[in-house]
Amino acid sequence: MRVLFVVTDADIGGAERLLATLARSWDEGDVLRLVVVMGPGTLSTELEDAFESVRYLGYSGSSRNIIGMVRSLEREIVDFGPDVITSHLFHADLLTALARSSAVKTTTMHTQRLTKADHPLTRAIARAVGILSFRFDGVIPSGDSASMTDFIRQLGMRKVLPPILNGADVPDAASFDPSSRTFLSLARNHPVKGHDVLFAAFARIADQAPQWSLRAYGPGVDDDDERMRSLVADAGAEQLLAEGRIQLAGPTARPAEVLQHGAALVISSKYGESSPLVGAEASGAGVPVISTDVGSCAYFVDDDRLLVKPDDVDDLARALECYTRLSDDERRSLSVLARTRAEERYDPAAVARRYREAFVGLLADAGKP
């Protein structure tokens, strides 16, 4: 089987890292190529190591040259001759839907809600993808929540297949250190990720938990970013930033190394999350998760006290304080539960196999061996 993956960019994000994970875990008898609509990005090296080949169309994120993008993608399709074309993220979905090809086409849904906080162009493209979804042979949700089902229905998506939840590399052993006193956040700089709620919640408990700190990683999550500094100031946490108890650590392409030093991963997203890859990665490392109840994130949480309402500073502060009051043995018990779940559910080879089985089924339906 020849499979052409299409993605919007090669920067650090859950969808992009999922593609690298899937390519590393795929059946060795298949040939995989990745087409990136934009140019090389921070995750290019990992993607290039995972796929047989990676092609960059070289368009900027602000480009409106849809016709040129589609024609460029069509040239890649002709050159590669895929049996299956599978797209990820709405911009790539639009080009894939419009491109002429006799190959089976699928798209994976990585979000389950958009709001006015999202770019107007992204929202317009998502609506267009819904209208054009008849040009796909299958739409694969990456989460199984009711909100995902509702969002797919709102967009008018057709030919929806059973969900395939994300998987992640599971290390040979958990790396969790129960003596750690560092909360971790791994999320890009975007209103959907709820950094404002995260900083405010940590500021609420900082005096009662003086040994604890918060380290936030992600593209745009750094000291030089005006929005990040404004969120810290609005949370009344400038002194915590100055003291190093809140750290804005920027992007990381090595989440496994970061997770080794965390007491817990905090997913503070307000909406939109489906089944974030970082939750599966934390579970594999044996790192307990504190999360808002968005999409399928509840699966990552092994203590109901650590599942919180979205966009609720009080509830997240309550969960953070609850976690700081646990003993090392209690945190170690949560680590064992997380690791066990990762071994049972998040094996990337199993996830890759499910995608491949879906593709084989669609090829059979289309009468293509």
Side-chain angles (χ1 to χ4, degrees), residues 250-267:
T252 176
R254 303 180 182 279
E257 294 180 6
V258 168
L259 288 165
Q260 291 178 10
H261 307 290
L265 172 71
V266 184
I267 300 175

Side-chain angles (χ1 to χ4, degrees), residues 81-109:
D83 300 299
V84 176
I85 305 171
T86 178
S87 63
H88 297 255
L89 303 177
F90 286 124
H91 292 68
D93 295 340
L94 178 62
L95 304 186
T96 301
L98 292 172
R100 293 170 297 179
S101 175
S102 61
V104 162
K105 292 181 181 179
T106 74
T107 176
T108 295
M109 292 287 293

Side-chain angles (χ1 to χ4, degrees), residues 95-351:
L95 304 186
T96 301
L98 292 172
R100 293 170 297 179
S101 175
S102 61
V104 162
K105 292 181 181 179
T106 74
T107 176
T108 295
M109 292 287 293
H110 290 280
T111 187
Q112 45 82 20
R113 186 183 169 198
L114 295 173
T115 72
K116 292 182 179 179
D118 294 284
H119 196 285
L121 181 60
T122 299
R123 288 181 276 135
I125 289 175
R127 290 193 295 271
V129 170
I131 293 170
L132 292 168
S133 63
F134 69 92
R135 297 178 67 93
F136 289 101
D137 296 277
V139 173
I140 303 173
S142 64
D144 59 359
S145 65
S147 52
M148 173 64 85
T149 301
D150 289 344
F151 186 56
I152 288 175
R153 186 180 301 115
Q154 289 169 18
L155 290 180
M157 287 288 192
R158 310 178 194 185
K159 303 176 185 176
V160 180
L161 301 180
I164 302 178
L165 272 63
N166 294 337
D169 293 326
V170 179
D172 292 337
S175 58
F176 177 64
D177 178 5
S179 67
S180 173
R181 296 295 183 266
T182 302
F183 290 117
L184 294 177
S185 167
L186 284 82
R188 61 191 168 95
N189 181 348
H190 187 285
V192 67
K193 300 300 183 180
H195 285 97
D196 54 342
V197 178
L198 176 65
F199 297 150
F202 182 75
R204 293 266 184 97
I205 71 155
D207 288 343
Q208 290 75 38
Q211 295 181 319
W212 288 76
S213 63
L214 168 64
R215 189 175 300 149
Y217 292 86
V221 183
D222 53 56
D223 291 330
D224 296 329
D225 186 85
E226 182 177 348
R227 178 176 180 270
M228 280 292 115
R229 295 193 68 87
S230 176
L231 295 182
V232 170
D234 291 345
E238 288 177 298
Q239 186 60 36
L240 294 172
L241 183 66
E243 295 172 353
R245 292 189 61 197
I246 291 180
Q247 299 175 34
L248 306 178
T252 176
R254 303 180 182 279
E257 294 180 6
V258 168
L259 288 165
Q260 291 178 10
H261 307 290
L265 172 71
V266 184
I267 300 175
S268 54
S269 299
K270 297 180 178 182
Y271 65 92
E273 294 288 6
S274 175
S275 177
L277 192 68
V278 68
E281 290 171 326
S283 299
V287 175
V289 175
I290 301 167
S291 179
T292 50
D293 190 5
V294 174
S296 300
C297 292
Y299 291 145
F300 302 128
V301 179
D302 293 298
D303 184 323
D304 289 344
R305 295 173 296 176
L306 307 181
L307 185 66
V308 304
K309 292 177 284 188
D311 201 11
D312 190 320
V313 173
D314 291 337
D315 205 29
L316 182 54
R318 174 201 57 74
L320 295 178
E321 183 176 13
C322 173
Y323 194 79
T324 65
R325 295 181 181 277
L326 297 179
S327 68
D328 287 357
D329 284 343
E330 288 173 315
R331 285 192 284 273
R332 190 179 287 108
S333 295
L334 289 176
S335 173
V336 171
L337 291 173
R339 172 69 186 191
T340 300
R341 184 180 60 257
E343 292 172 344
E344 293 175 349
R345 298 185 185 178
Y346 305 140
D347 176 15
V351 176

